[in-house]
């Protein structure tokens, strides 16, 4: 489904990190897809991506099955992302690339190979609470992202960035870290990483300063346990259903007869 999580900021979603996958297609045959000349980075940074597809007879184990046909796809890297919006969930055809972002409609993936990344040595998590008008705080997201992007060449990177508005904060029963006692209009959570501990600490302090300039207060977690607690409220956002009529659409499908079910979040 091209999932990514908060680390997608740093390493991209599933499609960015897939090197090869094998699936059973709708005809019961094997289909193997190989990403050629993987850039070890985000797929939209490549002008054109190449995928080699091989179909094999499903009546035999894939390692010994007879090749039925082959195909090569050349897909512009930018086709995987909408500029300014990130992942393009509207393009379910995705240049004819099987298995990715289709939620089971092309068949069942049985195995895959991934590009693995080494996590930087040092991580600090910031929680930024904004108490002014949300429209005044939103520019802080852009300013923080621009500032950290400018540090990439010095080994400091943004590994995750999520925000919760007042509605979500109320839904998760958020307890403010500020001594003001009131609920913030928006909370921003981010992971700042790097191999140089002093550089990570300096960048984190600057991010807090940016928040302070936007009617915000910043809090920094260094230990793994403290960082986990900072992110815990983000993991509870499904609780928004307590305050809305929100529903999650879950799709379970086979190749020819998709079934849809609406289940509460």
């Amino acid at each position: 489904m091209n999932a990514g999580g908060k680390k997608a900021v740093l390493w991209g979603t599933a499609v960015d990190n897939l090197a090869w996958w094998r699936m059973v297609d709708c005809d019961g045959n094997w289909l193997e897809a190989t990403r050629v000349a993987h850039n070890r980075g985000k797929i939209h940074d490549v002008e054109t991506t190449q995928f080699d597809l091989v179909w094999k007879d499903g009546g035999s184990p894939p390692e010994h099955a007879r090749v039925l046909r082959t195909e090569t796809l050349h897909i512009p890297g930018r086709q995987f992302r909408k500029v300014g919006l990130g992942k393009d969930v509207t393009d379910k055809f995705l240049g004819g690339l099987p298995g990715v972002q289709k939620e089971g409609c092309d068949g069942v993936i049985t195995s895959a190979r991934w590009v693995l990344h080494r996590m930087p040595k040092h991580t600090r998590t910031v929680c930024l609470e904004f108490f002014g008008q949300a429209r005044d705080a939103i520019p802080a997201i852009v300013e923080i992202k621009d500032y950290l992007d400018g540090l990439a060449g010095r080994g400091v990177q943004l590994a995750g960035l999520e925000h919760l508005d007042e509605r979500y904060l109320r839904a998760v029963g958020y307890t403010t870290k500020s001594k003001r006692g009131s609920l913030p209009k928006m909370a921003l959570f981010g992971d700042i990483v790097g191999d140089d501990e002093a550089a990570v600490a300096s960048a984190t302090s600057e991010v807090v300063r940016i928040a302070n300039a936007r009617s915000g207060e910043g809090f920094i977690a260094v230990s793994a346990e403290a960082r986990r607690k900072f992110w815990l409220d983000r993991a509870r956002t499904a609780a928004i259903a307590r305050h809305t009529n929100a529903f999650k659409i879950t799709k379970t499908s086979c190749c020819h007869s998709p079934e849809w079910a609406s289940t509460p979040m």
Side-chain angles (χ1 to χ4, degrees):
M1 293 186 288
N2 199 15
K6 65 186 180 71
K7 292 296 191 295
V9 174
L10 182 58
W11 291 315
T13 59
V15 70
D16 297 288
N17 295 291
L18 271 170
W20 171 94
W21 63 98
R22 176 186 289 146
M23 57 191 296
V24 179
D25 70 8
C26 299
D27 296 318
N29 292 316
W30 297 109
L31 170 54
E32 296 178 355
T34 302
R35 170 96 177 265
V36 178
H38 202 295
N39 66 329
R40 308 296 196 274
K42 295 179 181 178
I43 200 166
H44 60 273
D45 291 336
V46 178
E47 184 174 348
T48 303
T49 57
Q50 178 179 329
F51 295 88
D52 289 344
L53 309 180
V54 179
W55 282 263
K56 297 181 179 180
D57 185 359
S60 303
E63 294 80 4
H64 308 292
R66 176 174 56 91
V67 174
L68 299 176
R69 66 185 179 94
T70 63
E71 183 180 348
T72 297
L73 298 177
H74 295 93
I75 305 174
R78 286 289 177 180
Q79 188 168 330
F80 291 85
R81 299 283 190 273
K82 275 193 173 180
V83 177
L85 294 177
K87 185 176 72 172
D88 182 4
V89 297
T90 65
D91 184 7
K92 289 298 184 181
F93 185 68
L94 205 58
L97 181 63
V100 176
Q101 205 167 292
K102 313 240 184 13
E103 301 172 9
C105 293
D106 289 339
V108 178
I109 295 176
T110 62
S111 56
R113 297 192 189 110
W114 301 84
V115 173
L116 299 182
H117 303 273
R118 182 186 63 82
M119 189 67 186
K121 293 179 181 178
H122 303 285
T123 302
R124 295 198 176 199
T125 299
V126 292
C127 170
L128 309 175
E129 298 179 345
F130 297 91
F131 294 89
Q133 294 298 318
R135 65 176 177 270
D136 298 326
I138 288 173
I141 300 177
V142 177
E143 292 169 7
I144 289 170
K145 180 69 166 57
D146 288 346
Y147 166 69
L148 292 173
D149 283 348
L151 295 181
R154 286 180 270 175
V156 177
Q157 295 175 288
L158 181 65
L161 188 67
E162 299 277 355
H163 95 282
L164 301 180
D165 63 22
E166 188 176 15
R167 179 181 57 161
Y168 281 89
L169 294 173
R170 190 179 300 112
V172 301
Y174 182 79
T175 301
T176 178
K177 296 171 178 60
S178 169
K179 293 182 179 180
R180 302 189 191 197
S182 59
L183 196 68
K185 296 294 184 182
M186 182 180 80
L188 191 65
F189 302 86
D191 281 341
I192 300 171
V193 302
D195 289 330
D196 185 330
E197 186 175 12
V200 171
S202 175
T204 306
S205 297
E206 177 61 18
V207 166
V208 170
R209 188 201 65 77
I210 293 172
N212 292 342
R214 293 286 183 178
S215 301
E217 292 187 33
F219 306 88
I220 301 171
V222 179
S223 71
E225 179 60 21
R227 291 190 287 106
R228 186 192 69 82
K229 289 180 179 179
F230 272 25
W231 281 108
L232 188 59
D233 287 310
R234 175 63 183 85
R236 292 173 176 157
T237 51
I240 192 66
R242 290 187 300 170
H243 300 273
T244 70
N245 292 322
F247 281 82
K248 178 177 69 174
I249 303 299
T250 302
K251 175 182 170 186
T252 56
S253 61
C254 62
C255 298
H256 301 293
S257 57
E259 298 176 358
W260 292 82
S262 177
T263 56
M265 293 180 67

